Amino acid sequence: QVQLVESGGGLVQAGGSLRLSCAASGRSFSTYTMAWFRQAPGKEREFVAAMSWSDFSTYYSDSVKGRFTISRDNAKTTVYLRMNSLKPEDTAVYYCAVRRGSSYYVTANDYNYWGQGTQVTVSS
């Protein structure tokens, strides 16, 4: 069993910043990938960013590249998502996800474990 808990969401003005955290607990995997997805009301869950725990390579969707940064805690299995220059269209529930394996995927169905989500609201 893997437990994922997100935190750090909130209400910010356009142009502001937030840092989301995802703390993982439970069993460890030899190879895995951690990722962030988001889902706005009435929309499908959308890939945001991912990091492979094999070589710590990172991947970003075109909509957030250059504004968001995914990073890790060196001491534990934790990922962060630093969000800068936030726009109203970034408003969504943000989810942390984990999949077994070192390859990253942009489709939600390829991930095995999910957190409960944290709300991010960006006002104009």
Side-chain angles (χ1 to χ4, degrees):
Q1 179 81 312
V2 175
Q3 176 89 247
L4 302 174
V5 180
E6 304 97 332
S7 62
L11 173 64
V12 298
Q13 294 182 355
S17 299
L18 282 174
R19 189 183 75 162
L20 307 183
S21 299
C22 175
S25 62
R27 65 167 296 179
S28 299
F29 304 120
S30 58
T31 58
Y32 57 94
T33 299
M34 300 188 72
W36 288 96
F37 286 77
R38 65 186 182 185
Q39 187 167 21
K43 305 294 184 181
E44 293 185 350
R45 195 160 296 188
E46 174 190 19
F47 172 80
V48 176
M51 174 178 286
S52 172
W53 245 251
S54 296
D55 58 3
F56 306 108
S57 57
T58 59
Y59 306 89
Y60 299 92
S61 68
D62 289 340
S63 63
V64 307
K65 191 173 184 179
R67 299 188 298 121
F68 292 9
T69 302
I70 187 170
S71 61
R72 66 182 177 91
D73 189 302
N74 291 330
K76 48 191 173 182
T77 308
T78 303
V79 293
Y80 305 97
L81 187 68
R82 171 65 70 181
M83 304 182 293
N84 295 325
S85 302
L86 283 163
K87 306 174 181 179
E89 50 263 46
D90 294 318
T91 295
V93 176
Y94 283 71
Y95 297 90
C96 179
V98 173
R99 71 174 305 275
R100 296 171 180 172
S102 59
S103 299
Y104 95 99
Y105 290 85
V106 299
T107 54
N109 287 341
D110 290 308
Y111 288 79
N112 307 107
Y113 304 97
W114 293 86
Q116 83 289 346
T118 184
Q119 177 72 46
V120 172
T121 303
V122 184
S123 62
S124 59

